[in-house]
Amino acid sequence: MFSWLGNDDRRKKDPEVFQTVSDGLKKLYKTKLLPLEEYYKFHEFHSPALEDADFDNKPMILLVGQYSTGKTTFIRYLLEQDFPGMRIGPEPTTDSFIAVMQGEVEGVIPGNALVVDPKKPFRKLNAFGNAFLNRFVCAQLPNPVLESISVIDTPGILSGEKQRISRAQVENGYSSLRRCLYGGYDFAAVLEWFAERVDRIILLFDAHKLDISDEFSEVIKALKNHEDKMRVVLNKADQIETQQLMRVYGALMWSLGKIVNTPEVIRVYIGSFWSHPLLIPDNRKLFEAEEQDLFRDIQSLPRNAALRKLNDLIKRARLAKVHAYIISSLKKEMPSVFGKDNKKKELIGSLGEIYARIEREHQISPGDFPNLKKMQDLLQSQDFNRFQPLKSKLLETVDEMLAHDIAHLMVLVRQEETQKPIQMVKGGAFEGTQNGPFGHGYGEGAGEGIDDADWVVARDKPMYDEIFYTLSPVNGKITGANAKKEMVKSKLPNTVLGKIWKLADIDKDGLLDDEEFALANHLIKVKLEGHELPNDLPCHLIPPSKRKMTE
């Protein structure tokens, strides 16, 4: 539990007590950041004000992709259950945003009813009007997966626009294009709204017909500044041969590198996320490993939800500060009486120079500034007379929040993580491969021979014995120095060989007998085959003669 205040005087007199990270985030936003946003009309330019539900809601996953990439099927695969309103087909079937959430009774809540529910984090979507709300629903159903996360399914993005619309048309008329194509609402703006509030954005691609359209490229660019949340799924990978899959993967990485300008490559998961038999099973082990990596990433979301919300609040605060500097600079340049319209046009045209000046004067990173073209478009409809001059106190309050209050909340985040039981997504597909012989890696690597009655190392022990007796054993054991001479021939690093030694030297006498030496060589083989070593020696790998010793 932590206490801190908005200013030094109040800090001493009447401390505020934050019981949880969520309470702290809500209080900081309402008392320190929201006043700055309202004063400089931040909500008219960037994002609506946050509400309590934005801080309290479960982690959300946003699925984005061209039509027929398997978004709806992916949700069905995770839940292992149909959800209300679900439609699957090769043609564009999902024409609405569908929030798949936990509910006691299965049913569908239409968009207009959904945005008036204070318990749901969708109230601010009301700003996109009936054109969007008529295509927004919440599918509720009881499902163990949805007890920990919610999933947002999106309309399939059209793929044929590149043949009909030039790049210039897409860039200059993107918003109107979205409104035309998606029934009167700004599709990209809605995606941006969700991107700010979700914990993970999954971009789905079809390995069988990889084609990143201009439409999809522009949508991905609209998600800029949220690259840390992005993951990519190369779906339906069982439909192509291994050699072709390598080419498709390379082409996808090349295309993403041109669209997403980040120094780090976005993680791409390769697989076939549906319950049908694999058409080409050659890459089964790869698909299983990739699926488990993706599942682990999704399962970590509840545990990291508080940290994500804290991170998003910091990003929002930095943007709000820059916005305040921009608006106050424009206000300062405006004449008091005559020539206002001409000056407004001049300022909008020279906005890039204003950005550069603010960057120099306030030592702000260029990455913190909003998109120049978008900002210029938004300023066209604004009345500059209503803009406010620079108010240092508001900015100082936000600076204090970033410098001090956020640091306290970071400590509280760690405390909550240690005090609460480990939160993980359970149920559905997440249960199917955790236990039993179909768990990932079961019967492989260090798990080989787990169900055998005989000691698995005994299969190759005669070969290891021949080497053992060339290493000058004394009283049936070889020294560490002699064992090292043989073990380093594997060319494994000393850190790995040291771990193998600790696992193999069961009686901890600093020597290896023939069974321990055979075990060491078996573990070397496991590592050379690309598997991980266990932290503790599994029972089935303990030599039969030493099993009583370890009980």
Side-chain angles (χ1 to χ4, degrees), residues 68-82:
S68 192
T69 52
K71 297 186 300 298
T72 305
T73 305
F74 182 83
I75 300 174
R76 172 67 178 78
Y77 183 77
L78 294 183
L79 303 183
E80 293 186 344
Q81 180 182 351
D82 291 346

Side-chain angles (χ1 to χ4, degrees), residues 458-494:
R459 300 174 190 172
D460 299 319
K461 189 172 182 296
M463 178 178 64
Y464 300 140
D465 285 347
E466 289 182 17
I467 302 171
F468 178 80
Y469 288 110
T470 66
L471 299 175
S472 306
V474 177
N475 297 325
K477 295 193 175 187
I478 59 173
T479 64
N482 285 340
K484 180 181 179 181
K485 291 177 185 177
E486 181 62 31
M487 292 172 69
V488 295
K489 292 179 182 179
S490 67
K491 299 182 181 179
L492 288 171
N494 282 356

Side-chain angles (χ1 to χ4, degrees), residues 55 80 107 121 125 143 164 169 199 221 232 266 331-333 441 486 515 520 548:
F55 298 103
E80 293 186 344
L125 283 169
N143 185 282
R164 302 202 311 271
Q169 286 176 295
D199 297 71
K221 289 176 183 177
V232 173
I266 295 178
K331 175 68 175 180
K332 186 178 179 181
E333 296 291 331
E486 181 62 31
E515 289 184 328
K548 289 184 178 180

Side-chain angles (χ1 to χ4, degrees), residues 238-280:
D238 68 315
Q239 297 183 11
I240 55 179
E241 301 283 352
T242 303
Q243 188 176 17
Q244 187 181 357
L245 180 59
M246 291 173 61
R247 291 177 181 149
V248 169
Y249 177 81
L252 175 60
M253 298 302 292
W254 181 79
S255 299
L256 287 173
K258 294 197 326 183
I259 301 170
V260 184
N261 297 316
T262 58
E264 296 182 1
V265 178
I266 295 178
R267 176 66 163 94
V268 177
Y269 300 93
I270 304 172
S272 196
F273 295 90
W274 63 352
S275 56
H276 294 259
L278 300 177
L279 294 180
I280 302 174

Side-chain angles (χ1 to χ4, degrees), residues 4-7 10-16 32 400 405:
W4 66 93
L5 300 165
N7 56 57
R10 289 186 57 209
R11 205 181 285 269
K12 297 174 184 176
K13 295 178 183 177
D14 185 22
E16 299 176 38
K32 299 194 173 184
E400 179 192 333
D405 300 326

Side-chain angles (χ1 to χ4, degrees), residues 11-34:
R11 205 181 285 269
K12 297 174 184 176
K13 295 178 183 177
D14 185 22
E16 299 176 38
V17 179
F18 294 155
Q19 300 287 348
T20 65
V21 174
S22 180
D23 288 341
L25 289 171
K26 284 186 275 191
K27 188 72 172 179
L28 286 179
Y29 176 70
K30 290 177 181 176
T31 60
K32 299 194 173 184
L33 182 54
L34 184 58

Side-chain angles (χ1 to χ4, degrees), residues 489-502:
K489 292 179 182 179
S490 67
K491 299 182 181 179
L492 288 171
N494 282 356
T495 51
V496 176
L497 293 175
K499 183 174 183 179
I500 290 173
W501 174 272
K502 289 179 181 178

